[in-house]
Amino acid sequence: MALAAVFGYLSRFTTVPSSMTESVRATLDDDVLVRIRGLTTVLGGKTIFDQLDMDIPRGKITAIMGPSGTGKTTLLKHITGQMRADAGEIRVDGRNVAELSREQLYKLREGIGYLFQNSALLTDFDVFENVAFPLRQHTQLPEELIRNLVLLKLQAVGLRGAAPLMPSELSGGMARRVALARAIVFDPMLILYDEPFVGLDPVALNQVLRLISTLNQTLGITSVLVAHELAAVRQIAQHVFLIANGKVVAQGDPKTIADDGSPWTRQFFGGEADGPVPFQYPAGDYAQALGFAGVVK
Amino acid sequence: MNARGRQEGNAVTQALAQIGLCGLFLLTLLAAVPRSFRYVRETIRQLWFVGAMSLTIIMVCGLFVGMVLMLQLYHVLSIFGGTSASGMVVALSVYRELGPVITALLFAGRAGTSITAEIGLMRATDQIDAMELMAVDPIAYVATPRFLAGVIAMPLLACVFCAMAIFGGHLVGVSWLGIDNGTFWSNMTAEVDVHTDIVNGVLFKSLAFGAVVSLIAVFQGFTTPPTSEGVAYATTRTVVASSIAILALDFVLTAFLM
């Protein structure tokens, strides 16, 4: 019984559904894990994405950067199927996310890890149970194996000793590492990091940075990183997308992308206050707002 | 239409939209009941939180309601020389109205608010989204167990409330005011009908109140804006909406069950 559960757990990483068509298999075989075509999203009358195209390479660390409010987190929500686009197509591992049923979408999500900006640990459970949560929900593994898997993942993030602690007893950096352990507990094919470096001190930032890089190399996980920290991104990412105005305005090697000469990269990577992203939020006539219309020429 | 008329119109439209959404949410909850059977332990845990943890307030309030009811009735009935019937009147009042209604109001204040605040904070801290992304259905794992726990706990709490109220009435009537113990119990057992007063009065009403309060509490938690202000408003709305719903539903149920 226990052995069958173990084999059941292992088989989830090796079997390919027989219903997959040849075209899907072809997509699986190529180097792109997430393929986005013509993505268009309008929220509250504002166009977030306008015919956005993006290919996220398999097995690499890809950073998505851009000014605040450009929809980086929204893009992650599209990839996980939390949000539906108004138009366009997103294929993850060959599967069109918009066409998946609820069960198929949940099955896909079992292969995706997601690291929230605020860690999103379950506050009722201690660190051990937080990491064990996905295993308990989706497998019938014996308790001893669950314990070993959880301790293995906690050891990987350097927090095996923190297993009995509650989330409220953790620092921001520790909470993020626990969330990372939870995200990798199923050895996912893809991990999405939503601003993983925000609010971390230099030590915690370097720890998280090293973890992302190590996990990518040792487990062959595809990593998508939404971040603003160019220095950190340069250290670990192999590809960068800069999105603004609903489109990809620049992409390429993180070490050279800042030198491509476009006004977008110049402003974003140079930290200029004004440029294609205006300093002033769109507003009416300033003199008129102050009541000086007609007085000031 | 003037601005005030438009505002009132908007408020009515929003209220109707909320009721409609709440109805749809109920259908979602009921559809998730079979899926939530695998989370029996979570339902039992919630039963402990909303049921067992509410026992103290229910018992204390039940005791005092019975005591004050007996005190008032004794003084009124003594004018007509009918103090021997006060035990029976206490029992009928408690079984038919006060028991289920006051228990439901206390339940909304104690358990309903905690359910809303807990789910609202789970939303604000992305825990609900995290469950979704771990392929765990938050409706089946979070909402339905709390809803079922409320539906199961309410009739049990109402029974405890009624028992404590009768005990309080006995304490004041028999031990303090000197009503004969045999008269107190015999009048009560002669007049109280198990089907009309206990099954319809206590159990059926409290089951309906439990479903309504739990539904409102879970719905408010799930639909609250994920901010501290949003959670505060949602908690208040749970108490206000539950109280109105309990009293309105009580009238409807009484009219049909009498």
Side-chain angles (χ1 to χ4, degrees):
Chain A
M1 180 71 183
L3 205 60
V6 174
F7 279 118
Y9 170 77
L10 294 174
S11 68
R12 62 197 301 133
F13 307 115
T14 55
T15 53
V16 178
S18 58
S19 59
M20 277 189 177
T21 61
E22 286 308 310
S23 64
V24 172
R25 284 179 186 281
T27 314
L28 265 175
D29 291 338
D30 72 18
D31 290 339
V32 178
L33 182 67
V34 181
R35 175 163 286 155
I36 300 171
R37 288 290 175 272
L39 181 71
T40 302
T41 306
V42 180
L43 290 175
K46 187 187 171 195
T47 303
I48 306 297
F49 300 121
D50 181 16
Q51 294 287 318
L52 181 127
D53 295 336
M54 189 181 276
D55 286 338
I56 294 172
R58 191 185 293 269
K60 292 187 175 172
I61 300 176
T62 301
I64 298 173
M65 307 184 85
S68 299
T70 46
K72 301 183 291 296
T73 302
T74 307
L75 186 63
L76 297 188
K77 286 184 175 178
H78 281 313
I79 294 172
T80 56
Q82 286 173 284
M83 278 180 76
R84 293 288 161 106
D86 293 296
E89 185 185 87
I90 296 176
R91 284 190 176 272
V92 178
D93 201 26
R95 283 164 279 186
N96 186 343
V97 176
E99 288 175 358
L100 296 179
S101 68
R102 180 194 185 83
E103 285 71 28
Q104 289 170 325
L105 187 62
Y106 273 18
K107 204 71 198 158
L108 176 71
R109 283 178 185 168
E110 285 179 33
I112 300 176
Y114 195 106
L115 190 75
F116 283 84
Q117 195 178 331
N118 64 4
S119 305
L121 296 177
L122 305 178
T123 46
D124 282 352
F125 299 145
D126 61 18
V127 165
F128 182 93
E129 285 302 323
N130 261 287
V131 180
F133 185 78
L135 290 171
R136 293 199 194 287
Q137 298 304 319
H138 299 300
T139 69
Q140 303 290 321
L141 292 176
E143 186 58 35
E144 195 184 341
L145 190 56
I146 288 183
R147 183 177 170 278
N148 288 347
L149 278 169
V150 170
L151 293 181
L152 193 75
K153 300 302 176 184
L154 282 173
Q155 176 74 16
V157 299
L159 288 175
R160 186 167 49 85
L165 298 182
M166 293 301 285
S168 57
E169 297 174 277
L170 304 175
S171 69
M174 286 167 80
R176 214 150 302 170
R177 282 152 67 193
V178 173
L180 188 53
R182 185 177 67 179
I184 59 167
V185 76
F186 266 140
D187 295 338
M189 59 178 171
L190 169 68
I191 301 193
L192 307 171
Y193 299 89
D194 190 3
E195 306 208 13
F197 312 121
V198 168
L200 297 183
D201 63 67
V203 176
L205 189 146
N206 274 318
Q207 287 169 341
V208 173
L209 206 58
R210 204 184 67 183
L211 275 171
I212 295 172
S213 178
T214 309
L215 288 172
N216 177 255
Q217 285 166 12
T218 54
L219 301 176
I221 298 172
T222 304
S223 306
V224 177
L225 200 67
V226 164
H228 288 117
E229 297 79 357
L230 182 62
V233 166
R234 273 187 174 143
Q235 281 187 51
I236 56 168
Q238 282 115 28
H239 197 80
V240 176
F241 288 99
L242 180 65
I243 57 173
N245 270 8
K247 290 181 183 296
V248 174
V249 292
Q251 64 169 304
D253 189 301
K255 293 181 178 66
T256 55
I257 190 170
D259 308 323
D260 84 336
S262 86
W264 290 102
T265 50
R266 199 167 53 242
Q267 185 191 12
F268 187 76
F269 296 116
E272 293 170 10
D274 215 346
V277 180
F279 172 70
Q280 289 288 347
Y281 191 81
D285 184 63
Y286 186 36
Q288 196 171 10
L290 294 175
F292 298 147
V295 179
V296 180
K297 297 284 182 189
Chain B
M1 193 187 282
N2 60 22
R4 190 177 166 186
R6 264 199 304 277
Q7 274 181 357
E8 285 169 357
N10 285 341
V12 171
T13 312
Q14 279 181 5
L16 288 173
Q18 281 283 306
I19 292 168
L21 283 174
C22 196
L24 291 174
F25 190 77
L26 174 64
L27 295 180
T28 314
L29 270 184
L30 295 176
V33 168
R35 292 202 303 276
S36 74
F37 286 151
R38 59 183 295 226
Y39 306 123
V40 174
R41 287 177 70 177
E42 181 62 14
T43 307
I44 293 169
R45 202 169 75 94
Q46 290 306 322
L47 200 54
W48 168 262
F49 280 121
V50 301
M53 300 290 274
S54 304
L55 266 177
T56 310
I57 187 174
I58 295 292
M59 289 174 76
V60 172
C61 291
L63 181 73
F64 283 113
V65 165
M67 287 168 76
V68 77
L69 199 59
M70 174 57 84
L71 208 56
Q72 291 281 5
L73 283 169
Y74 184 85
H75 285 289
V76 172
L77 292 174
S78 64
I79 300 168
F80 311 103
T83 52
S84 58
S86 44
M88 177 258 291
V89 180
V90 166
L92 290 178
S93 314
V94 167
Y95 288 145
R96 289 181 183 179
E97 292 299 332
L98 295 177
V101 171
I102 296 181
T103 306
L105 292 172
L106 291 170
F107 185 77
R110 199 263 164 223
T113 50
S114 79
I115 289 172
T116 302
E118 187 189 10
I119 298 176
L121 282 171
M122 285 175 85
R123 263 179 57 76
T125 52
D126 289 332
Q127 292 180 57
I128 300 285
D129 282 345
M131 282 182 195
E132 270 278 349
L133 290 168
M134 286 187 277
V136 175
D137 179 6
I139 297 291
Y141 184 80
V142 177
T144 310
R146 282 163 177 78
F147 174 74
L148 291 178
V151 173
I152 297 166
M154 252 302 291
L156 301 175
L157 291 172
C159 289
V160 172
F161 182 96
C162 292
M164 288 305 293
I166 301 293
F167 175 66
H170 183 273
L171 209 65
V172 170
V174 176
S175 309
W176 181 20
L177 299 171
I179 297 173
D180 179 64
N181 190 35
T183 312
F184 181 90
W185 291 116
S186 63
N187 278 347
M188 197 186 294
T189 48
E191 292 302 323
V192 172
D193 180 70
V194 173
H195 179 74
T196 313
D197 301 317
I198 310 277
V199 176
N200 282 351
V202 181
L203 297 179
F204 186 73
K205 273 189 179 178
S206 54
L207 201 69
F209 294 159
V212 167
V213 173
S214 306
L215 171 65
I216 291 172
V218 174
F219 173 71
Q220 291 294 344
F222 261 87
T223 55
T224 180
T227 61
S228 50
E229 191 186 22
V231 175
Y233 274 124
T235 312
T236 308
R237 275 199 302 273
T238 293
V239 177
V240 174
S242 296
S243 304
I244 294 169
I246 289 162
L247 296 173
L249 190 62
D250 183 45
F251 172 75
V252 175
L253 289 177
T254 305
F256 277 104
L257 294 173
M258 269 185 87

